[in-house]
Amino acid sequence: TSALRAGAEIFHVLKENLNKSNLSVSVGDEGGFSPEISNNRKCLDIIVKSIDQSDYKIGKDILIALDVASTEFYRDKKYYLSGENLKLSSNDLIKYFESLIDDYPIISIEDGLSENDWDGWKDLTSALGNRCQLVGDDLFVTNPTIFNKGIDKKCGNAILIKLNQIGTLTETIETIKIAKKSNYNTIISHRSGETEDTFISDLSVGISASQIKTGSLSRSERIAKYNQLLRIEEENHKFIKYSGSDPFKRFL
């Protein structure tokens, strides 16, 4: 309950700050803001400012997770950050992430490198795997065979689980079991084209995922998942507890 409250409060302070800067506060299909800000550090500065103004301690009460979706700007073995006019190699982008982690309380980076950049992923994990959760989404696509390849290559230390990505609950649970056996963190995730079905909330608790990714605190198909988690907590508070920062202890 307290974590959800914190997210909601910061969300609304962030909206006020975007408004004050004459930036768009319309939300995308996952309920998040999408203002036109070309510089990544400016985005993080606004988020950090909003956390501080919400009276939460940055780096203690609140940590930041990034979903980079780097496959979208990867071509010819280079990463093009057009907003910052940068053309980076895998190693350059790893150093870029390292500088962000040095300056901001970033605890998780999803799809930091392209799904086609396996060598880069290995280098990323070697460089930052003890400081930050490195999540494979496009890289592993909830597929046991591909995931096992990534584990063998020492790529990442966490996997995003999308139930309808692999297609069956049986295959999804198989992938989750592989993650737990290999000491990879597991995040149960929504998809962009969501409904108000709340099964992923039940799944995240049922398999003790400790993390869920289900969008921002706006739009009914996102709120439905959080409401289900609140109901589960209320009905089972004697038997289960909120994981909090437990999944990140090895990085803190």
Side-chain angles (χ1 to χ4, degrees), residues 188 199-212 229 232:
I188 304 299
F199 177 71
I200 64 168
S201 298
D202 298 283
L203 180 64
S204 68
V205 176
I207 59 98
S208 299
S210 297
Q211 297 179 69
I212 190 169
L229 289 171
I232 292 169

Side-chain angles (χ1 to χ4, degrees), residues 30 37-38 40-41 43-44 47 64-74 78-84 86 88-90 92-98 100-101 106-115 117 121 124 128 132-139 160 162 190 213:
E30 295 178 5
I37 303 173
S38 60
N40 290 318
R41 285 180 175 268
C43 292
L44 289 165
I47 293 169
I64 293 173
L66 306 180
D67 180 358
V68 180
S70 57
T71 299
E72 300 296 320
F73 53 89
Y74 179 71
K78 294 289 183 181
Y79 294 90
Y80 292 82
L81 279 66
S82 56
E84 299 182 35
L86 293 174
L88 305 176
S89 67
S90 299
D92 291 335
L93 187 53
I94 290 167
K95 290 175 183 176
Y96 182 93
F97 291 140
E98 193 168 13
L100 292 182
I101 292 172
I106 295 167
I107 199 62
S108 180
I109 299 175
E110 179 185 328
D111 284 344
L113 295 176
S114 168
E115 65 191 73
D117 189 3
W121 264 97
L124 173 66
L128 300 178
C132 185
Q133 178 175 265
L134 301 171
V135 188
D137 172 17
D138 294 340
L139 185 70
L160 202 73
K162 292 175 174 174
H190 63 185
K213 179 185 180 186

Side-chain angles (χ1 to χ4, degrees), residues 2-232:
S2 58
L4 198 60
R5 175 180 174 178
E9 290 173 351
I10 294 165
F11 179 82
H12 287 287
V13 173
L14 176 59
K15 182 178 181 179
E16 291 175 10
N17 284 329
L18 291 174
N19 262 322
K20 288 175 184 176
S21 299
N22 294 316
L23 293 166
S24 171
V25 292
S26 59
V27 297
D29 61 2
E30 295 178 5
F33 299 122
S34 53
E36 289 190 19
I37 303 173
S38 60
N39 187 286
N40 290 318
R41 285 180 175 268
K42 288 183 180 178
C43 292
L44 289 165
D45 287 340
I46 293 173
I47 293 169
V48 167
K49 178 182 177 182
S50 302
I51 294 168
D52 187 51
Q53 290 176 337
S54 303
D55 292 327
Y56 291 100
K57 293 180 180 177
I58 301 160
K60 183 179 179 183
D61 299 326
I62 307 293
L63 297 165
I64 293 173
L66 306 180
D67 180 358
V68 180
S70 57
T71 299
E72 300 296 320
F73 53 89
Y74 179 71
R75 60 184 184 275
D76 302 324
K77 297 187 177 182
K78 294 289 183 181
Y79 294 90
Y80 292 82
L81 279 66
S82 56
E84 299 182 35
N85 197 28
L86 293 174
K87 177 182 175 183
L88 305 176
S89 67
S90 299
N91 285 331
D92 291 335
L93 187 53
I94 290 167
K95 290 175 183 176
Y96 182 93
F97 291 140
E98 193 168 13
S99 70
L100 292 182
I101 292 172
D102 287 340
D103 295 338
Y104 300 94
I106 295 167
I107 199 62
S108 180
I109 299 175
E110 179 185 328
D111 284 344
L113 295 176
S114 168
E115 65 191 73
N116 300 310
D117 189 3
W118 286 93
D119 290 338
W121 264 97
K122 185 175 180 178
D123 293 338
L124 173 66
T125 307
S126 176
L128 300 178
N130 63 341
R131 297 184 61 190
C132 185
Q133 178 175 265
L134 301 171
V135 188
D137 172 17
D138 294 340
L139 185 70
F140 298 139
V141 290
T142 320
N143 183 302
T145 302
I146 297 173
F147 186 30
N148 275 318
K149 174 186 173 182
I151 293 169
D152 290 341
K153 287 180 171 288
K154 293 182 169 55
C155 295
N157 53 34
I159 181 171
L160 202 73
I161 299 290
K162 292 175 174 174
L163 177 60
N164 69 346
Q165 194 170 42
I166 189 64
T168 68
L169 185 57
T170 301
E171 290 167 300
T172 300
I173 290 175
E174 180 187 351
T175 307
I176 292 167
K177 286 180 177 178
I178 293 169
K180 289 180 177 291
K181 183 179 178 182
S182 303
N183 198 31
Y184 273 58
N185 284 353
T186 306
I187 304 104
I188 304 299
S189 176
H190 63 185
R191 302 302 297 273
S192 293
E194 273 290 340
T195 69
E196 292 184 6
D197 184 276
T198 61
F199 177 71
I200 64 168
S201 298
D202 298 283
L203 180 64
S204 68
V205 176
I207 59 98
S208 299
S210 297
Q211 297 179 69
I212 190 169
K213 179 185 180 186
T214 189
S216 183
L217 286 160
S218 66
R219 299 178 63 103
S220 63
E221 74 276 10
R222 312 289 157 187
I223 298 294
K225 276 75 166 174
Y226 294 116
N227 285 340
Q228 179 67 354
L229 289 171
L230 290 175
R231 284 190 287 269
I232 292 169

